[in-house]
Amino acid sequence: MRFVKYMTAPLLMAALCTFWGCDKEEDHLSEAVLASARTVNFEATKAVEKIITVYADADWVSEAPDWVTVTPASGTGVVDVTIAVSDNMRDGAEDNPRKAPLVFKGRTLASRAEVLITQDGDKYRDVKEYTAGEIAALADETILSVPSAIVVAVTTKGFVISDDQNTDNIFVANETTVSVGDRISFLGTKSSDSQSLPAIIDCDRVKVLTSGTVNYPAPEEISAKIDDYAPSKREYVSVKGVFNGSSLVVSADARYSVSFVDTPSSLGLATLAGHIVTVTGYYAGLAEPVQRIMVTAVEDNGLNEIVYFMENFEWLEAWSVAGGAGRTVETDDPNATAPQLPKVSVDGVSSLDALEAKGYKFLRVTTKTEGECIYLQRNYLKFGKTSYQAGIVLPSIDGIASDAKPRLSFDWCPMRQGSGKIDPVNLIVIVENGGEEMTFDIPTHEWENNHKLEWIRAEILLSGVTITKETRITIRQTQWPEKTANRWFLDNVKISEPINP
C-alpha cells in the first residue's frame, strides 16, 4: 500500500485551530476539513488500495462515486482512510479512463476537501475521427483520431500538420520521423501549447501513409507589422531581417525580434549569421519580446556585415550531452548541472582539449589553492566560483584590415547566489598587441537581488586598435583575484563590421 501525506498531523491541526478555532465540541460536523492528497491515481485493473489522511476538527463524512470505496466512510478528527476502486472494464475490455472527485466534508460549504480520483483505461476506446482542420475548434483534452493529415513543417521536437484545404495548422509534439509532404494518421489528445495555440502534445501511433509534396498558400508578410502581429491561429507567414546567429532583427526600431523554434539543421539557418534572410514558416506565438516561427524555408539575401569571428559554442553539444550539462540561464536555475571542462570527454577528448585545439586559452586566478573553475553548459561556458575567477582568450583572428572598424559583441549573464544576491561581476575586454594593452569596459548588469537570470547583450566598438593574427583579445573580470563569488556565463561571441553602418 502507498501512504500519501503532504503535511504532518500537528502542522495541519495547528492550521485548523488558527483559522477555525479548537474550542468547539467534537460531537458535530466539522467546520474545517483537509486531506493529505489532492490527486490519487489507480491502475485500470487489480489496483492496489491506497491510504490518505483526513484532518478535521470534529465529525466528517465522505461522498464518493460508485466505483470508489472509502473505508471508513466517515469519522471524527484525524483518520487514515483506505481508498479502493473497482476494475475499469466494459464488455470484457478496458473502458475509457475515468476521474471523479472524492469529497470529505463537514458542516459548511467551506469545510470541504476534494481529492481527485483518477483511474487508467483505454483512452482511445470509442474514439471519434476528426480532420486536421477540425482540431482547432475542439476543447482541450478531447481524445481524437486523425485518419489523414499532411505534414507541412518539421521541427526537432515534432511537426506541423494541416488538411488539404489548409484550414488550420496544428503542431504535433512527437518524435516519429516524418517528412514534409507525408500523409499520416495518428491518435492523440487536443491541447494548446505554451503560446495558447492549438497543438497535440500527447500523441500516439503515428503512421506514415504516403509521401508527397506540399502546396503552400501564399505566406502573409509580417515584417512591417512585427510589433503588432498577434493572430489566434498558427498562420503561414514570412519575415525579412538580419540574422544575428540566434534571432532575426527586423529593423532597428522594432520592439520585437523573431526567433525560430527547434529548426532542423538541414535548413542551414545556423550558417547565415550576419546575413539578410527571408524566413517562411508557421507562426508559433509571442514570447515577449520575441515573435516565434516554425521554419519551412530560408532565403539567403546576402551578408549585412563582414563577420571576422563568430562563436556560439553549439559544436560543444556532444560534450554537453555527455556531461549532462544544464542551461542555468535559460531555466533560471543556479543549481543546473555544470561539469568542469576537463571532466567531460567524447572519444577520449575533453571539452577543455577541444576548446584549446580551436585556439582558445583560459585564465584562472584564485586566493586559494589552484584548481579548475571553468565549466560547461549546454552550449555555452560558465566562469568562476567563490575565491576563483576566470577569463577567456579568443583564438587568433586574421584578415581584418588596418582601417576596419570592427565591433565585438557577446551575450553574458552574472550568477545568482542562494540568498538571491547577484554576483557583482564587472567584465572588461583587453586587446593586447605586443606588450601594449587597451582595455574596454563592459557595462555592469545593475540588477537588483533576486533578478531572473537572463542574457545581457554586450557590444563595443574596438576603436583605436589594430587586430592581426598576433593580437590577443581577452574577456575577463576586473575582480582579479577576489575572495568573493564573481561568476558569469558567456555565449555568442562575434567580431564583425556592418556593411552599411
Side-chain angles (χ1 to χ4, degrees):
M1 288 188 289
R2 178 184 175 194
F3 191 83
V4 184
K5 275 193 176 182
Y6 287 171
M7 297 178 64
T8 63
L11 285 175
L12 277 163
M13 289 310 296
L16 295 176
C17 289
T18 299
F19 290 103
W20 285 285
C22 289
D23 57 347
K24 300 176 176 61
E25 295 294 329
E26 294 286 325
D27 58 353
H28 55 70
L29 287 175
S30 296
E31 294 189 10
V33 181
L34 295 173
S36 64
R38 296 179 180 177
T39 303
V40 181
N41 183 67
F42 292 90
E43 301 286 338
T45 60
K46 299 180 181 178
V48 177
E49 297 175 343
K50 297 185 179 181
I51 296 175
I52 67 170
T53 304
V54 177
Y55 301 89
D57 60 349
D59 298 338
W60 53 266
V61 295
S62 65
E63 291 180 355
D66 57 9
W67 49 276
V68 176
T69 302
V70 181
T71 308
S74 61
T76 301
V78 179
V79 178
D80 288 343
V81 299
T82 300
I83 304 174
V85 295
S86 59
D87 287 348
N88 188 15
M89 302 289 289
R90 173 161 57 94
D91 299 331
E94 284 188 14
D95 204 350
N96 300 116
R98 52 188 178 183
K99 61 182 178 180
L102 165 60
V103 179
F104 299 97
K105 64 181 185 178
R107 176 185 298 276
T108 67
L109 288 176
S111 61
R112 291 169 57 91
E114 287 197 4
V115 179
L116 181 63
I117 307 298
T118 63
Q119 188 173 16
D120 299 339
D122 180 2
K123 68 178 181 179
Y124 296 119
R125 181 167 181 170
D126 306 323
V127 65
K128 184 178 178 180
E129 291 186 350
Y130 297 92
T131 67
E134 293 174 322
I135 295 176
L138 299 176
D140 281 0
E141 299 189 11
T142 299
I143 309 300
L144 51 86
S145 169
V146 177
S148 178
I150 301 171
V151 176
V152 294
V154 174
T155 77
T156 59
K157 295 184 179 178
F159 45 88
V160 179
I161 61 167
S162 190
D163 59 13
D164 294 302
Q165 290 75 40
N166 294 295
T167 308
D168 271 309
N169 308 300
I170 310 296
F171 176 68
V172 180
N174 187 272
E175 296 181 356
T176 301
T177 299
V178 298
S179 301
V180 171
D182 284 350
R183 188 174 292 273
I184 65 170
S185 64
F186 65 89
L187 301 172
T189 305
K190 160 63 168 49
S191 185
S192 299
D193 65 13
S194 59
Q195 307 302 316
S196 299
L197 294 172
I200 305 292
I201 304 302
D202 185 7
C203 175
D204 296 309
R205 308 180 199 176
V206 176
K207 182 179 180 180
V208 177
L209 305 174
T210 60
S211 297
T213 58
V214 175
N215 295 318
Y216 290 106
E220 181 178 2
E221 219 295 328
I222 64 171
S223 302
K225 52 185 177 183
I226 194 66
D227 289 341
D228 301 313
Y229 189 67
S232 59
K233 294 183 177 182
R234 203 177 299 274
E235 302 286 6
Y236 192 55
V237 300
S238 68
V239 61
K240 184 176 182 179
V242 177
F243 183 53
N244 65 13
S246 58
S247 61
L248 195 72
V249 179
V250 178
S251 67
D253 57 352
R255 290 183 295 112
Y256 293 157
S257 59
V258 179
S259 69
F260 308 114
V261 181
D262 306 320
T263 303
S265 59
S266 59
L267 290 174
L269 187 61
T271 66
L272 298 179
H275 289 234
I276 302 171
V277 299
T278 301
V279 176
T280 306
Y282 291 92
Y283 182 70
L286 171 66
E288 289 197 62
V290 177
Q291 299 277 23
R292 304 164 74 245
I293 292 177
M294 295 178 175
V295 181
T296 59
V298 178
E299 178 186 354
D300 181 10
N301 300 301
L303 274 168
N304 184 62
E305 60 183 352
I306 302 172
V307 179
Y308 301 112
F309 173 83
M310 188 174 69
E311 177 61 270
N312 59 18
F313 299 109
E314 292 301 316
W315 60 271
L316 285 171
E317 172 73 4
W319 286 270
S320 298
V321 172
R327 294 183 171 97
T328 299
V329 179
E330 291 84 350
T331 59
D332 190 32
D333 179 11
N335 296 315
T337 301
Q340 293 180 350
L341 291 183
K343 296 292 182 66
V344 183
S345 293
V346 174
D347 296 330
V349 178
S350 73
S351 54
L352 177 59
D353 293 336
L355 284 158
E356 290 179 338
K358 284 183 173 284
Y360 289 100
K361 296 181 180 179
F362 296 95
L363 308 176
R364 305 167 181 83
V365 295
T366 182
T367 58
K368 296 183 177 181
T369 304
E370 290 186 4
E372 184 56 83
C373 58
I374 306 175
Y375 307 87
L376 183 63
Q377 295 277 261
R378 186 173 181 180
N379 293 307
Y380 48 95
L381 302 178
K382 174 186 176 183
F383 296 86
K385 61 181 179 180
T386 302
S387 298
Y388 292 77
Q389 287 81 47
I392 186 171
V393 182
L394 302 184
S396 175
I397 302 169
D398 199 5
I400 302 181
S402 59
D403 61 348
K405 297 179 181 179
R407 296 177 180 271
L408 169 66
S409 60
F410 57 86
D411 293 331
W412 75 284
C413 177
M415 182 57 139
R416 186 177 65 239
Q417 302 175 19
S419 65
K421 179 182 178 181
I422 304 297
D423 285 1
V425 180
N426 293 307
L427 294 183
I428 55 174
V429 174
I430 302 171
V431 181
E432 179 185 353
N433 282 302
E436 298 183 359
E437 293 183 352
M438 286 193 67
T439 300
F440 299 84
D441 294 325
I442 300 300
T444 58
H445 55 74
E446 298 183 351
W447 289 353
E448 296 182 355
N449 291 343
N450 295 306
H451 194 286
K452 177 184 177 182
L453 298 181
E454 58 187 344
W455 291 111
I456 303 170
R457 189 67 173 170
E459 183 171 318
I460 57 173
L461 177 63
L462 297 175
S463 58
V465 300
T466 299
I467 300 176
T468 70
K469 63 180 180 180
E470 307 300 329
T471 303
R472 287 165 54 94
I473 300 177
T474 301
I475 305 172
R476 71 164 177 86
Q477 302 159 258
T478 58
Q479 303 95 333
W480 202 261
E482 289 286 344
K483 295 181 179 179
T484 54
N486 297 282
R487 302 155 296 172
W488 55 287
F489 303 86
L490 176 70
D491 198 5
N492 297 321
V493 184
K494 183 173 67 173
I495 298 176
S496 62
E497 183 177 8
I499 293 176
N500 298 303

